[in-house]
Amino acid sequence: MSQHFYVHPDNPQARLISQSVQILQSGGVIAYPTDSGYALGCMMGDKGALERICRIRRIDASHDFTLMCRDLSELATYARVENSAFRLIKNNTPGAYTFIFKATKEVPRRLMNEKKKSIGIRVPDNKIALALLEAIGEPLLSTTLILPGSEMAEYDPEEIADKLGKQLDLVVNGGYLGEQPTTVVDFSDDEPVIRRRGAGDPTPFE
């Protein structure tokens, strides 16, 4: 069974954040809260943990994985971003959006969309997620926790533990969240295209 940490949504306990990071750095896969439901996360360079996430979600190499970033300072390292796109994103982050860009060479090939050589980038508006990212010191490889056959993100950490307890190393319990996944905006062909309407207001990108 996975471990289960009850983390305060407004004042995340440093001890639990540190223990969560140790689990990630030891090859763990975690479920953790964001501003649009729960997400699955692992270290960016951990191939085995990535394969486990793919099995849980039943996704393949054509999936757009996301690098969860603490702020936009990490954007240019991993994504090719035009100035006009950067201004749009800056005005709407942190928030419940995933932005897809052509990836830079800093992104391991196995994380890119196989056809488009793209990667998702996200800056969450959630104190627990941001505390994890600050403690790790690099982006967390993530994907929204949408179980096979569903279109909505998992929002109940107790249910996540019941459904996926044997497949996860840790559930970071930040309370009940909304079920809507992020709004996905694709900039991989320069002009923004809304790929999924979710928790983030799509209006600025239409």
Side-chain angles (χ1 to χ4, degrees):
M1 288 295 288
S2 59
Q3 295 192 65
H4 199 116
F5 293 169
Y6 292 87
V7 181
H8 196 284
D10 294 317
N11 297 292
Q13 303 94 314
R15 173 180 58 86
L16 294 179
I17 294 298
S18 178
Q19 289 176 336
S20 301
V21 171
Q22 288 172 9
I23 288 170
L24 284 162
Q25 292 174 336
S26 299
V29 172
I30 72 169
Y32 69 101
T34 75
D35 47 352
S36 60
Y38 278 78
L40 295 173
C42 70
M43 297 300 291
M44 187 166 49
D46 194 321
K47 183 181 178 184
L50 170 65
E51 289 171 350
R52 288 171 59 198
I53 287 176
C54 289
R55 285 197 295 272
I56 292 168
R57 286 276 324 263
R58 295 184 198 164
I59 50 181
D60 58 25
S62 65
H63 182 76
D64 285 301
F65 285 102
T66 297
L67 296 180
M68 193 75 75
C69 301
R70 56 193 149 162
D71 57 43
L72 289 179
S73 67
E74 296 174 318
L75 189 60
T77 305
Y78 302 102
R80 298 175 188 169
V81 186
E82 299 292 333
N83 288 337
S84 56
F86 183 82
R87 284 193 296 273
L88 259 179
I89 292 168
K90 187 177 181 182
N91 290 337
N92 292 278
T93 54
Y97 298 96
T98 300
F99 302 106
I100 298 173
F101 291 101
K102 293 290 188 189
T104 68
K105 292 181 179 178
E106 296 299 315
V107 178
R109 287 184 67 87
R110 64 178 173 272
L111 306 187
M112 299 180 193
N113 179 290
E114 201 172 50
K115 294 177 181 176
K116 297 190 296 181
K117 300 295 183 280
S118 56
I119 189 72
I121 299 286
R122 168 142 157 63
V123 181
D125 189 11
N126 178 282
K127 290 180 180 178
I128 296 173
L130 290 170
L132 281 170
L133 294 167
E134 190 66 37
I136 293 169
E138 65 176 69
L140 194 60
L141 177 67
S142 286
T143 182
T144 304
L145 180 39
I146 302 173
L147 291 175
S150 176
E151 294 184 358
M152 304 307 286
E154 293 295 310
Y155 64 94
D156 181 343
E158 303 287 351
E159 275 195 16
I160 292 169
D162 287 342
K163 292 175 180 176
L164 299 175
K166 293 180 180 178
Q167 299 177 69
L168 300 173
D169 298 286
L170 171 65
V171 175
V172 179
N173 187 328
Y176 290 101
L177 301 173
E179 292 179 72
Q180 278 199 313
T182 54
T183 292
V184 177
V185 186
D186 190 341
F187 283 94
S188 61
D189 291 322
D190 296 334
E191 289 298 316
V193 176
I194 296 167
R195 299 290 184 199
R196 180 176 72 197
R197 293 174 186 271
D201 179 9
T203 309
F205 304 97
E206 291 178 324

